[in-house]
Amino acid sequence: MPAGLEAMLLVGLGGTIGACLRYIVSGTLPMLKGIPTGTLLVNVIGSTILATLTFISEPFGSIHLINIGMLGSFTTFSTFAYETFRLLEEGQKILFASNIALNLLLCLSGVFIGQQIASLI
């Protein structure tokens, strides 16, 4: 396992990469029928990659760089929560419920897919 400073630098580097990727993905996708698809997509991709790497037990260095750093800043529960709350605040009850359901079901599906991918490796 990397020492404290090395681990922190790996997390920081991964976080920088993940934040930039999130900006690109979230910023290029339009809302689809009122659902914030950019946030949904980064959460699904992040869940799938995180599960794949976790289930194949990658070395600790990549856990700090990729799992904690890159995927930690790429996926975004706080943005999901804010965007979902705004839908409720705007009276969009169906979109509110749809956004919650899509994020939960698709991200959990991503974890299952990641586990399946890991079992093939």
Side-chain angles (χ1 to χ4, degrees):
M1 178 184 300
L5 180 58
E6 184 182 348
M8 191 174 3
L9 291 172
L10 288 170
V11 170
L13 175 61
T16 299
I17 294 166
C20 291
L21 289 172
R22 176 179 156 208
Y23 176 77
I24 292 167
V25 173
S26 292
T28 58
L29 293 177
M31 299 266 282
L32 181 63
K33 297 185 179 184
I35 298 291
T37 56
T39 302
L40 176 61
L41 184 61
V42 297
N43 286 335
V44 172
I45 290 170
S47 296
T48 305
I49 294 171
L50 180 69
T52 302
L53 294 177
T54 301
F55 285 115
I56 61 173
S57 301
E58 279 295 302
F60 286 109
S62 64
I63 287 174
H64 286 87
L65 177 69
I66 298 171
N67 293 23
I68 298 170
M70 190 178 90
L71 296 174
S73 65
F74 180 67
T75 62
T76 171
F77 192 80
S78 58
T79 301
F80 157 73
Y82 171 76
E83 290 172 343
T84 304
F85 179 79
R86 291 287 295 155
L87 291 172
L88 182 63
E89 191 175 58
E90 294 167 0
Q92 301 290 331
K93 293 177 184 173
I94 293 173
L95 292 175
F96 167 80
S98 297
N99 197 44
I100 292 170
L102 284 168
N103 271 277
L104 287 176
L105 293 173
L106 293 175
C107 290
L108 287 173
S109 296
V111 170
F112 175 76
I113 291 166
Q115 181 189 37
Q116 298 305 303
I117 292 169
S119 71
L120 297 173
I121 296 175

